[in-house]
Amino acid sequence: MLTQAPKGTHDILPDEIDKWIFVEQKFAEICRRFGYREIRLPVFEHTELFQRGVGDTTDIVQKEMYTFEDKGGRSLTLRPEGTAGVVRSYIEHGMASLPQPTKLFYNITAYRYEKMQKGRFREFHQLGVELFGAGDASADAEIISLLVLFFDSLNIKNLTLNLNSIGCPECRAAYNQKLKEFLADRIGNMCETCKERIDRNPMRILDCKDEGCRQHLKEAPVLLDHICDDCRVHFEKVTQKLQDIGIHYEIDKGIVRGLDYYNRTVFEFVSRNIGSQGTVCGGGRYDGLIETCGGAPTPGIGFAIGVERLLLEMESQGIEIPIRPGPDIYLGSIGEKAEKLCEKLAWELRSEGITCIKDIMGRSVKAQMKYADKLGARYALIIGDNEVESNKASLKDMKTGEFKDISLDTLIDRLVKIRETD
Ligand code: HAM
């Protein structure tokens, strides 16, 4: 137990960190191109925020939240997703009074008590954006175009963009009635969760994973066929705009999403390569959420990408990520005087922005060179008593194996120049 991370969590080790940083930086860069600014929020929030925001008939709230009471008796929950917290912050900090729309992006860990699978964890990472104050279809199309540009920038090919509209509360009320009528003589044979949901939130039943229930739902009325005229026009505008930009999509009438806050446009980017947990990104419009959470009526739309799944997809497509190069120089020494000089040189080199690894183990010259090689150092320099006296040393180019005599006074200038031209 002591030496094992909790089930559903995973360490990101130094050998893997470069790909995480690469993806995170690309995401931040693309978000900024679209005018988004980063927001960082607490890992836990008041439980009620998720109950109200995500919805208390969802699997997330009913089955998957990490909820605890703190020492002050408050019920808190580790965030199962990012949107509710961003909405809370938008209201708390009066962001509505800033020039609109408000465009925010985030890079978070999220927590759901789910069954472990490939691509499904209990602690996982999301890169997401939330856009407040823009209700027009242009916002939907722009947010999707941001995602397409991001995936393109990573060279990811063949993700399918699945699109649907789940209407607004008005059209959904009529649809829910139809769905209830359809389910009336089936619900008796469905799971307990579905039975519980039929009166409180019948549409949530469409999200049931139980195979038996799925069979009963095969002929269920389709929401997209029952949306109102306003919602239909909005959806047509979104699809037209995507066509205008040249973004390929597929209409998937089955997407309902696992969170209650959505209305109108919902979408997912799905991979066929990484197994059953193939949804790399999910998002949609949530025009009622800010009001539900206590703010003024404000339209909203956003998405979140699962980073573990994104990296799995990149791996499955054989996409190489630039690896951080080894240190610019390895400095080794033999003897006390040389060690002192090395300490001074290392300080000066590092102050000039050069990556310098210096011996701190007192190893033999042979062992030091072996270590320099393992680190992938570009150059290596070993200083002994002779070098201290002559103020000269032999700089080894670790790529070619060649040695060059240099004056130690010129070492820094030389390395700065080499770095510029290498
Ligand atoms: P979501 O569909 O629940 O939406 O999650 C978004 C993405 O997070 C999923 O498509 C998946 O890639 C990843 N993900 C979800 N659960 C797990 C898990 N247990 N393990 C690994 N990855 C996972 C949301 O979270 C919404 N907040 C998205 C959104 C933002 N909608 C509007 N704004």
Side-chain angles (χ1 to χ4, degrees), residues 189-202:
N189 299 316
M190 294 174 77
C191 75
E192 288 311 309
T193 313
C194 286
K195 283 181 190 145
E196 206 185 291
R197 288 173 177 172
I198 186 132
D199 289 320
R200 294 184 61 205
N201 191 353

Side-chain angles (χ1 to χ4, degrees), residues 63-108:
K63 303 177 188 169
E64 297 168 2
M65 293 208 302
Y66 281 90
T67 297
F68 59 98
E69 199 173 277
D70 75 358
K71 291 198 190 325
R74 300 168 196 90
S75 178
L76 300 170
T77 294
L78 297 184
R79 61 183 168 215
E81 57 101 53
T83 312
V86 181
V87 166
R88 192 265 308 141
S89 179
Y90 172 83
I91 300 169
E92 181 172 346
H93 298 286
M95 291 185 214
S97 62
L98 301 172
Q100 294 302 302
T102 301
K103 292 177 159 185
L104 302 164
F105 76 91
Y106 51 85
N107 172 4
I108 60 167

Side-chain angles (χ1 to χ4, degrees), residues 8 10 54 60 64 80-84 106 108 110-131 143 257-259 261-262 267-269 274 277-286 289 300-310:
H10 60 103
V54 173
I60 293 180
E64 297 168 2
E81 57 101 53
T83 312
Y106 51 85
I108 60 167
Y111 303 84
R112 295 182 194 173
Y113 190 79
E114 289 200 85
K115 275 215 182 82
M116 273 288 296
Q117 270 188 32
K118 185 180 172 196
R120 197 203 267 163
F121 299 92
R122 292 182 176 171
E123 181 190 65
F124 57 98
H125 296 74
Q126 287 188 336
L127 296 169
V129 316
E130 309 298 346
L131 166 58
I143 247 182
R257 310 275 302 126
L259 306 96
Y261 46 65
Y262 292 110
F267 58 87
E268 292 179 345
F269 281 80
I274 58 174
Q277 301 304 307
T279 308
V280 172
C281 168
R285 184 164 276 292
Y286 48 82
L289 180 60
I301 182 166
F303 66 76
I305 299 164
V307 186
E308 283 81 0
R309 293 185 193 177
L310 180 76

